[in-house]
């Protein structure tokens, strides 16, 4: 069964450092998402991406965040200067045209020290 | 801004009995509702969904009920099995948006 893959599974970084989280969505899907879940809290929407541009973003997704689909297969989330409160599980998801279901990856755990 | 609420953080059910997980929403523009299941160290996995034009959808042991007037949906699992132990998230979409809005999750524990 097709799946969304994410790397790394866990990254530890120092506050202020840049982090790039990578995702390979399901190949024929057209919509891409990043969500995050801070420990013990709910899964929160960060950003959606369609047709090579951001279609919607939340208040969390400030200037420190950016997304890119550099080569037609990978979908990346960059955090320019990490803060302690960026520590969370980050989930990538993809969605087929006309579908309501998002397929999620296993997540990347980011720990900011 | 809690548009989707799951008021029970945890639920414990005996194996073989029915598990009922509840979810409330406030945004009347939501027109599609989903349940996701999540195991530790894994991403959410789609379980079952329902459109706002229906009030019930069934898939094997899983049934989702939607009460639009009360802005309430529930997930019934019967019979409950130990492998059903996980965190269950209710999610909703609508207003032409593709994104999902999630509830806080309910941790279901099935006791043998």
């Amino acid at each position: 069964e097709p799946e969304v893959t994410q790397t790394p599974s866990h990254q530890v970084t120092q506050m202020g450092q840049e982090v790039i989280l990578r995702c390979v969505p399901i190949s024929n899907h057209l919509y891409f998402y990043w969500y995050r879940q801070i420990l013990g809290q709910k899964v929160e929407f960060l950003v959606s991406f369609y047709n090579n541009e951001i279609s919607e973003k939340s208040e969390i997704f400030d200037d420190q965040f950016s997304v890119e689909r550099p080569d037609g297969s990978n979908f990346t989330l960059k955090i320019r200067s990490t803060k302690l409160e960026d520590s969370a599980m980050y989930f990538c998801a993809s969605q087929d045209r006309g579908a309501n279901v998002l397929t999620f990856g296993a997540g990347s755990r980011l720990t900011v020290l | 801004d809690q548009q989707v609420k799951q008021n029970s953080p945890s639920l414990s059910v005996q194996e073989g009995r029915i598990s009922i997980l509840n979810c409330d929403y406030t945004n009347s523009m939501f027109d599609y509702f989903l349940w996701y299941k999540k195991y530790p160290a894994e991403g959410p996995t789609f379980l079952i969904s329902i459109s706002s034009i229906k009030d019930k959808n069934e898939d094997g042991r899983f049934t989702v009920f939607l009460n639009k007037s009360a802005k309430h949906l529930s997930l019934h699992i019967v019979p409950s099995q130990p492998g059903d132990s996980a965190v269950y998230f209710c999610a909703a979409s609508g207003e032409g948006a593709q994104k999902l809005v999630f509830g806080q999750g309910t941790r279901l524990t099935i006791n043998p």
Side-chain angles (χ1 to χ4, degrees):
Chain A
E1 186 171 329
E3 59 181 25
V4 175
T5 57
Q6 291 186 240
T7 55
S9 56
H10 188 193
Q11 181 156 357
V12 182
T13 190
Q14 294 291 324
M15 191 170 55
Q17 294 297 303
E18 177 182 283
V19 160
I20 297 176
L21 305 179
R22 291 182 168 80
C23 170
V24 179
I26 294 173
S27 62
N28 59 335
H29 284 189
L30 299 177
Y31 300 88
F32 313 108
Y33 303 83
W34 283 100
Y35 283 78
R36 80 173 184 189
Q37 184 183 27
I38 295 171
L39 185 64
Q41 298 186 23
K42 66 172 164 182
V43 178
E44 300 175 290
F45 168 76
L46 291 179
V47 65
S48 58
F49 193 86
Y50 169 71
N51 201 24
N52 286 318
E53 61 183 25
I54 291 174
S55 48
E56 188 176 356
K57 60 183 180 179
S58 71
E59 292 178 354
I60 303 168
F61 195 88
D62 61 21
D63 291 345
Q64 292 300 311
F65 290 88
S66 63
V67 290
E68 196 175 36
R69 190 157 159 80
D71 56 13
S73 61
N74 291 286
F75 179 51
T76 62
L77 174 69
K78 181 192 289 187
I79 309 174
R80 265 180 268 281
S81 177
T82 50
K83 304 187 285 286
L84 295 176
E85 54 265 37
D86 293 328
S87 295
M89 280 291 286
Y90 287 81
F91 294 105
C92 174
S94 70
Q95 182 183 34
D96 200 358
R97 184 196 296 275
N100 293 93
V101 176
L102 273 62
T103 302
F104 285 84
S108 293
R109 179 175 298 282
L110 176 63
T111 302
V112 182
L113 303 177
Chain B
D1 178 20
Q2 294 188 47
Q3 297 187 69
V4 179
K5 300 179 189 178
Q6 293 175 256
N7 291 318
S8 298
S10 64
L11 176 67
S12 187
V13 173
Q14 194 166 3
E15 182 180 359
R17 306 295 287 267
I18 184 171
S19 296
I20 300 176
L21 296 98
N22 293 301
C23 177
D24 297 294
Y25 62 96
T26 57
N27 189 339
S28 57
M29 298 302 290
F30 286 145
D31 58 12
Y32 202 83
F33 304 90
L34 307 90
W35 285 94
Y36 279 80
K37 176 179 177 180
K38 187 181 180 303
Y39 293 116
E42 295 184 12
T45 302
F46 170 71
L47 192 58
I48 192 169
S49 62
I50 187 166
S51 163
S52 61
I53 62 173
K54 296 186 175 181
D55 54 20
K56 176 182 175 182
N57 187 28
E58 190 172 353
D59 183 2
R61 296 186 297 114
F62 304 92
T63 304
V64 56
F65 296 91
L66 175 62
N67 182 335
K68 289 188 292 294
S69 60
K71 293 191 177 67
H72 177 84
L73 63 155
S74 61
L75 173 68
H76 293 211
I77 306 173
V78 57
S80 300
Q81 299 173 354
D84 296 330
S85 294
V87 177
Y88 288 78
F89 290 97
C90 170
S93 67
E95 299 184 84
Q98 299 289 331
K99 73 176 187 186
L100 298 181
V101 178
F102 282 84
Q104 302 94 317
T106 297
R107 180 177 301 279
L108 175 66
T109 303
I110 305 301
N111 301 307

